[in-house]
Amino acid sequence: MMFAVAILAVLAALALAVVRALAGPTAFDRLLAVNSIGTSAIMLLALFGFLTDRPEFLDIGITYVLLNMIGTLAVLKFFRYGALGHAQDPERDEALR
Amino acid sequence: MEAALDILSWAALVLGGIFYLIGAVGLNRMPDLFTRMHAVSVSDTLGVGLLILGMGLQAGASLITVKLVIIVLVLWTTGAVASHALARAALHDGEKPVLIDNAGNLVETDCVEIFPELAVRLAAPLTSEVVEEAPSEVPLGSEESLEEPGEPDREANRDARPPAENGGET
């Protein structure tokens, strides 16, 4: 019962974050909302595991925690450089070569 | 004992849910990106922490609690890092915070006008990236130094500086 209440709160927060992700004027607003959605998903996984007495969900939650962080940093780098695998300063790399 | 733990975990879960909702409402109602990040940090630290505390009290001393602690520690540390990266990227991209002017109106303000030294700080990421890159450059330089010992390393440093100085001037 107590977990159901917490799940409802997290679900409502998730819905609000989705609203911001759809409405956000800048890409950074969307990214912030997506990060928040990821955190909500982790909390949902953990709470659902407790609600149904299946703590294996926590392992999936740990995976999501790590992916969430990597995803945010990767998208930020993509915004900045337009690519994920490229060098930061092509001219300098040319000079080094 | 059982009842006391139940009451504590009820309180933690409900409070955590409330803080989580506060963060989500702030995410929608705040006027600009930076205040929204401020609102989200409430749900990312206090909300998550209290929800995990409530679950941990129900699980007792077991492997499940250890996993919960891992989740909350990683969330707290990576949340701070991600927020920092997001704010820096936004400032670098020219995002303007909404501030209150003397007349009490909400105005989009260019922070560089208020804090001129911020222009130097905003140029700083370029130099710090050069510093971050430095360790990976050393192997490159040392490979070349098989042919010309000493010289290539200095050349690499000289090449690394100009972009940073250009960034500082603009």
Side-chain angles (χ1 to χ4, degrees), chain A residues 95-96, chain B residues 144 148 150-161:
Chain A
L96 278 175
Chain B
E144 285 173 34
E148 297 170 277
E151 281 297 309
D153 268 344
R154 239 174 274 155
E155 260 181 33
N157 283 338
R158 215 179 298 144
D159 288 333
R161 248 168 240 148

Side-chain angles (χ1 to χ4, degrees), chain A residues 15-16 19 22 26 30 40 55 57 61 68 81 83 97:
Chain A
L16 287 171
V19 169
L22 291 176
T26 68
R30 294 178 209 275
S40 303
F57 276 90
N68 198 21
Y81 301 110
R97 222 170 267 152

Side-chain angles (χ1 to χ4, degrees), chain B residues 9 14 57 61 63 68 76-77 81 86 89 101 113 119 124 141 146 152 161:
Chain B
S9 105
V14 169
L57 286 175
L63 184 62
L68 283 172
W76 278 346
T77 47
V81 173
L86 186 68
D101 66 359
E113 284 171 14
L146 292 178
R161 248 168 240 148

Side-chain angles (χ1 to χ4, degrees), chain A residues 24-48:
Chain A
T26 68
F28 300 107
D29 286 302
R30 294 178 209 275
L31 196 51
L32 180 67
V34 166
N35 202 6
S36 173
I37 291 171
T39 312
S40 303
I42 293 153
M43 296 317 296
L44 272 183
L45 273 173
L47 286 167
F48 189 74

Side-chain angles (χ1 to χ4, degrees), chain A residues 76-93:
Chain A
L76 277 173
K77 188 178 179 190
F78 184 80
F79 280 152
R80 184 118 173 236
Y81 301 110
L84 286 180
H86 282 195
Q88 292 178 331
D89 186 350
E91 282 180 20
R92 185 161 56 85
D93 264 43

Side-chain angles (χ1 to χ4, degrees), chain B residues 88 92 115-127:
Chain B
R88 205 175 70 158
H92 209 81
F115 306 111
E117 63 267 36
L118 191 66
V120 184
R121 290 272 181 95
L122 284 183
L126 288 172
T127 57

Side-chain angles (χ1 to χ4, degrees), chain B residues 59-73:
Chain B
S62 64
L63 184 62
I64 297 170
T65 314
V66 175
K67 283 176 188 169
L68 283 172
V69 169
I70 290 175
I71 287 184
V72 78
L73 283 184

Side-chain angles (χ1 to χ4, degrees), chain A residues 63-76:
Chain A
T63 321
Y64 268 54
V65 168
L66 300 173
L67 283 177
N68 198 21
M69 159 84 173
I70 301 289
T72 306
L73 291 184
V75 173
L76 277 173

